[in-house]
Amino acid sequence: MTSPWLQPDTIAVHAGREDLAGLGVHALPIDLSSTSPLPDIEAGGTSYEAMAAGGAPTPEGGPVYARLWNPTVARFESALAALENADAAVAFASGMAAMTAAILAATAGTGRRHVLAVRPLYGGTDHLLSTGLLGTETTFCTAAEVAAAVRPDTAMVVLETPANPTLDLVDIRAVVEAAQGVPVLVDNTFATPVLQNPIDFGASMVLHSATKYLGGHGDVVAGVIACGDETAAALRRVRAVTGGLLHPLGAYLLHRGLTTLPIRVRAQQAGAERIAAWLRTHQGVARVHYPGLDGDPQGLLGTQMRGAGAMIAVDLRGGYEQARHVTSAVGLFTHAVSLGGVDSLIQHPAALTHRPVTADARPADSLVRLSIGLEDPKDLIADLDRALAARRPVAVPATALQA
Ligand SMILES: *Cc1c(COP(=O)(O)O)cnc(C)c1O
C-alpha cells in the first residue's frame, strides 16, 4: 500500500507499483498468462480455496487461473483503491459488468432483492434495474424519498452524483443516513476520485465506468468498484463465477492513465468552467446544467465535491431540431457517446445514452451533453458558436425531388 499521508497527485503516480523494484522493472509489467504453473497439487489447491473465498492467491500456489486473479489487474485495483480511500477495489470488463456484480453480490442468495435507485441514473443502469433482469425489484425515487422507501428487504441504494446526464448533485451523507444501514453504491464516474471520494461520506461501494475519465483516451472499456475488504471478497466471488473480467491490457492502460488523471481532470474542468459560463450568455441556450453555475443550495461544492468537473448539459432553444443540427454541425467536438477523454464529445442523451429509460424519466429532447476535453477552450467555444448559429433553411433543388 502507498502511504496514506501522501497527497492524491503523488498516489496517482506511485500507487500499485510497490512490487516493481523487487521484480527488477520500472514500467508496469503486463502478465497475459491465462494459466499459471503449479508447484504441487496441495499448494495449487490451497491457493484456489483462498481465491474462491474472495481473497488473494497464496505466494506458494500463485494465481492458478486468470479468471481467479491477474497481477496486472490487481495492481490497477490497488492503485484505484488508494485514490478512493478504500480498502480494496475490484475491476470488471465494463462499468455495466461492475454494476451487475454489485447488484448480484448484494441480492443473490441474501433474501433481499429490493433496490432503491435515485434518479437520474446512466441509461444502462436505469434499464438494468427497471427490467429486473437480475431478479431484483427496484423502486425509483428522489434522494429525499429514500428514508420512506427503505424496506426490510432493501439490499442496496444506488445513486450518481453528479448524475448522468443532468449533472444533478446528490448529498451522499444525507442518503447514507436515510438508508438506515442499507449499503449505498455511488457511481463516481463523472466526478472521478480527483474531485470526490464517496467513501469519506459513508458510501459502501464506489463504482466507476473506467471507460470514461480513468482511461481518459477513449481506448479502454472497463469498470471498477472501490469498497471495503468484505464487499471486495463478495465482488471477486461473483466475478470469478460469472467471468466479467478486465483484460490485463486494459488494466495496464488504466493504471498508466491514473498517473495523469489529476492533471487531466483539473485542466478539463478549467476549460469546462469557461465554456459553461460562455454558454450561459448565449441566446440559443435556454439553460446550462453545470454544478454550481446557478448556485449550490445544498452546499456540496467545496465540501462533498472539490470542483464542478468537466461535463456540461445544455437545454437548447429550438428543441430536438436544434439538437439535431448542433450535434451534426460541430467540427472539433466529435458527435459520439461516452465521455471523459482528452478530446471533446457531444451527444443527445434522449436518443442515445438514455434511450432505454422509460419515457416518463427520459431526458428532455432539447438536452445535449458535452464532455470537455483538453483542447484550448477558445477553440471549443468558437466551434460551439458556429454550430449554435441559427440554422439556415436548406433549399432543396427541384431535381433532387424528382430523383
Ligand atoms: C458509461 C457509464 C456507465 C456504464 O459503463 P460502461 O463502461 O459503458 O459499461 C455507468 N455509469 C455512468 C455514469 C456512465 O457514464
Side-chain angles (χ1 to χ4, degrees):
M1 275 301 273
T2 313
S3 311
W5 52 83
L6 292 173
Q7 296 300 313
D9 284 28
T10 310
I11 294 174
V13 175
H14 288 279
R17 294 164 190 260
E18 292 79 1
D19 67 333
L20 299 198
L23 297 173
V25 298
H26 184 63
L28 294 164
I30 307 172
D31 186 332
L32 294 172
S33 303
S34 58
T35 193
S36 305
L38 302 167
D40 56 61
I41 295 173
E42 288 75 25
T46 307
S47 197
Y48 187 102
E49 271 311 312
M51 291 182 286
T58 65
E60 300 75 32
V64 180
Y65 186 55
R67 182 152 43 70
L68 302 172
W69 191 268
N70 175 276
T72 305
V73 175
R75 282 187 203 98
F76 161 66
E77 291 170 336
S78 104
L80 193 275
L83 284 173
E84 281 291 12
N85 301 334
D87 295 339
V90 186
F92 295 87
S94 68
M96 292 315 300
M99 185 62 79
T100 298
I103 295 168
L104 288 176
T107 59
T110 64
R112 295 185 301 274
R113 52 184 286 273
H114 181 237
V115 178
L116 267 177
V118 179
R119 268 179 173 154
L121 293 168
Y122 169 67
T125 307
D126 194 294
H127 181 65
L128 180 64
L129 290 169
S130 64
T131 53
L133 184 70
L134 301 174
T136 54
E137 180 199 337
T138 297
T139 304
F140 290 97
C141 62
T142 65
E145 290 164 351
V146 168
V150 172
R151 307 193 320 211
D153 66 337
T154 304
M156 68 194 300
V157 179
V158 177
L159 70 89
E160 284 177 20
T161 180
N164 187 353
T166 53
L167 286 302
D168 292 359
L169 299 188
V170 177
D171 186 335
I172 298 168
R173 205 194 298 272
V175 171
V176 167
E177 240 164 68
Q180 301 151 60
V182 172
V184 174
L185 179 151
V186 175
D187 187 326
N188 205 28
T189 300
F190 273 34
T192 82
V194 179
L195 299 178
Q196 178 172 275
N197 298 117
I199 300 256
D200 298 349
F201 303 97
S204 301
M205 283 175 270
V206 180
L207 182 144
H208 289 275
S209 168
T211 313
K212 317 292 170 53
Y213 286 99
L214 303 190
H217 296 74
D219 52 9
V220 188
V221 175
V224 64
I225 295 174
C227 54
D229 281 325
E230 209 175 304
T231 307
L235 290 170
R236 282 194 208 106
R237 283 196 299 270
V238 171
R239 183 178 66 178
V241 172
T242 59
L245 302 176
L246 174 59
H247 192 275
L249 288 173
Y252 165 80
L253 288 169
L254 290 173
H255 200 167
R256 194 170 77 151
L258 287 186
T259 61
T260 56
L261 180 71
I263 58 166
R264 278 190 280 115
V265 168
R266 286 196 294 264
Q268 288 173 244
Q269 171 176 261
E273 282 168 356
R274 281 177 59 185
I275 293 164
W278 173 80
L279 281 165
R280 199 154 169 266
T281 65
H282 198 286
Q283 58 177 15
V285 171
R287 182 173 169 201
V288 180
H289 304 256
Y290 187 66
L293 191 63
D294 285 305
D296 174 24
Q298 304 178 91
L300 296 175
L301 271 182
T303 53
Q304 176 173 292
M305 238 188 135
R306 290 181 281 271
M311 296 298 297
I312 304 172
V314 177
D315 275 306
L316 297 173
R317 290 194 205 287
Y320 180 78
E321 275 309 308
Q322 179 67 354
R324 195 163 184 275
H325 164 67
V326 170
T327 49
S328 308
V330 284
L332 272 179
F333 280 84
T334 299
H335 181 195
V337 300
S338 198
L339 61 104
V342 292
D343 59 309
S344 297
L345 306 179
I346 186 169
Q347 69 107 11
H348 186 258
L352 295 151
T353 50
H354 291 68
R355 195 180 189 96
V357 178
T358 52
D360 58 312
R362 206 175 295 147
D365 259 346
S366 57
L367 193 80
V368 294
R369 194 191 70 187
L370 309 174
S371 171
I372 305 304
L374 286 172
E375 302 93 335
D376 191 311
K378 271 189 290 207
D379 293 329
L380 294 175
I381 286 173
D383 191 34
L384 288 172
D385 202 24
R386 267 191 306 271
L388 280 164
R391 198 146 81 103
R392 250 181 264 130
V394 183
V396 182
T399 48
L401 291 174
Q402 285 153 12

